[in-house]
Amino acid sequence: MLELLKEQPADNIIALMGQFANDNRETKVDLGVGVYKNQSGVTPIMGAVKKAQALLLESQVSKSYVGLLGNLDFVQSMKNLILSDSLRSENFVGAQAPGGTGSLHQMFLLLRAANPNITVWISSPTWPNHPSMLRHLGIEFRYYRYFSEETGSIDFDGMMSDLAEAKCNDVILLHGCCHNPTGANLSVGEWDSISQLCLKNEIIPLVDLAYQGFGDGLEEDVLGLRRMAGLVPELIIAASCSKNFGLYRDRVGVALYLNENKKVLSLTSDNLKSVNRLTYSFPPDWGATVVSTILNDSGLRADWNEEVQDIRSSITHLRLGLRDALKRATNSDRFAFLGEHKGMFSRLGLTKGQVDLLRKDHAIYMVGDSRINIAGLNEKSVNVLANAVAKIL
Ligand code: LMR
């Protein structure tokens, strides 16, 4: 009977991973999927993670079920990491989920159950899985302007004018920091303006936070989000530990919901338990317990902080190096915007044809919209990329 199934469109980023793996050219450069790589091209297991895993292997006495919301120490620790210890401690509920995608998925299910006519506003452009998931779940979505190709920065006026059309109880999906795919971050003042709009028009912000620590710092990257948490009556956060703990394949994420109304919190928590039971029962424990071990041990936490800082410095170094190499190779300031962006991604502003040429003629892989994963570069490939781009322009 399964012959009745329809062909599904491939996810561009995942399809690119397959294409790269099948390319036999030794010089190939992978700037596709958002995974940090060190100078040797390896995605290392963080030292703090290794130590926490060793501790857990020794101390863990059972593999029995934990609970439908997962490890609640992990949930609390993630709330503290994202929103600080002091902020509205009693006014949130949350659940562990399999990665940022799992967290988003469960919160989308809750939003759809609460209001089947909901519209979710997503940035143009955004991570391609946002519209794909919403389409899959039958949730209406609309785009708001976010990025101007001409200026290489945020089109904030366009964004606000599009969002002015959002209705009461619509949801606005924001990237917490290090916007994927553009790398263009909202300023704290812009976060405040969006919070005011949410307050005035009763729009619910949903923040996808996948890169905390990769922009300006663990605290700095969530300044806007923390202010929003203090301003709006209702806030949803879907956070991932894939990148900042390097736990990609372990699938570690958290879904948080903030509200001052205790009844709504309890209802939300019960609904999170229910959707978890109905989708995967219990979220996978290992990675989340590794994270909570790190966050609650001062030594491990200090090690981890340092490692995140090293990753951030290395990405910034490569980002600025690429900007300079492109300036030299193209003899222009066309790519100066790279220096303004934050995190792993930026788009080079190339056409689909130019992206294809880079892949075919230079074995350089990037997403079709010319998004590059800066963390996939190294000292050598920065120049390889810059020279190849100069050739195909
Ligand atoms: C990316 O955008 O490359 C990452 O978030 C990985 C993914 O799942 O797409």
Side-chain angles (χ1 to χ4, degrees), residues 256-314:
L256 299 173
Y257 174 67
L258 275 74
N259 194 320
E260 282 181 358
N261 184 318
K262 298 278 177 294
K263 263 200 187 146
V264 181
L265 285 179
S266 147
L267 192 61
T268 306
S269 186
D270 285 350
N271 272 266
L272 273 171
K273 283 183 197 157
S274 165
V275 289
N276 282 359
R277 181 66 175 155
L278 296 170
T279 42
Y280 41 74
S281 254
F282 302 91
D285 175 67
W286 181 255
T289 298
V290 166
V291 168
S292 118
T293 303
I294 294 171
L295 291 178
N296 291 296
D297 176 299
S298 57
L300 290 179
R301 190 169 180 142
D303 289 352
W304 172 71
N305 264 301
E306 219 167 282
E307 289 177 273
V308 173
Q309 199 173 315
D310 288 348
I311 292 177
R312 181 170 64 252
S313 308
S314 137

Side-chain angles (χ1 to χ4, degrees), residues 11 13-14 32-35 101 127-129 180 210-211 243 345 371:
D11 178 282
I13 298 171
I14 307 301
V33 68
V35 170
T101 307
W127 181 50
N129 215 22
N180 180 3
Y211 301 93
K243 331 279 164 161
F345 305 117
R371 185 196 82 169

Side-chain angles (χ1 to χ4, degrees), residues 322-341:
L322 178 62
R323 177 198 61 189
D324 297 345
L326 280 164
K327 184 181 166 99
R328 283 193 301 275
T330 65
N331 203 18
S332 81
D333 278 328
R334 169 172 171 171
F335 298 97
F337 62 83
L338 286 171
E340 309 300 318
H341 295 166

Side-chain angles (χ1 to χ4, degrees), residues 119-131:
T119 298
V120 177
W121 291 75
I122 56 179
S123 65
S124 172
T126 191
W127 181 50
N129 215 22
H130 284 157

Side-chain angles (χ1 to χ4, degrees), residues 174-216:
L174 296 158
H175 297 226
C177 64
C178 308
H179 183 264
N180 180 3
T182 68
N185 273 357
L186 295 163
S187 68
V188 171
E190 289 168 341
W191 276 93
D192 281 355
S193 304
I194 298 166
S195 303
Q196 294 302 342
L197 183 79
C198 289
L199 206 54
K200 182 167 127 252
N201 292 355
E202 294 176 60
I203 308 164
I204 301 141
L206 161 55
V207 178
D208 181 350
L209 183 66
Y211 301 93
Q212 185 180 358
F214 279 22
D216 291 318

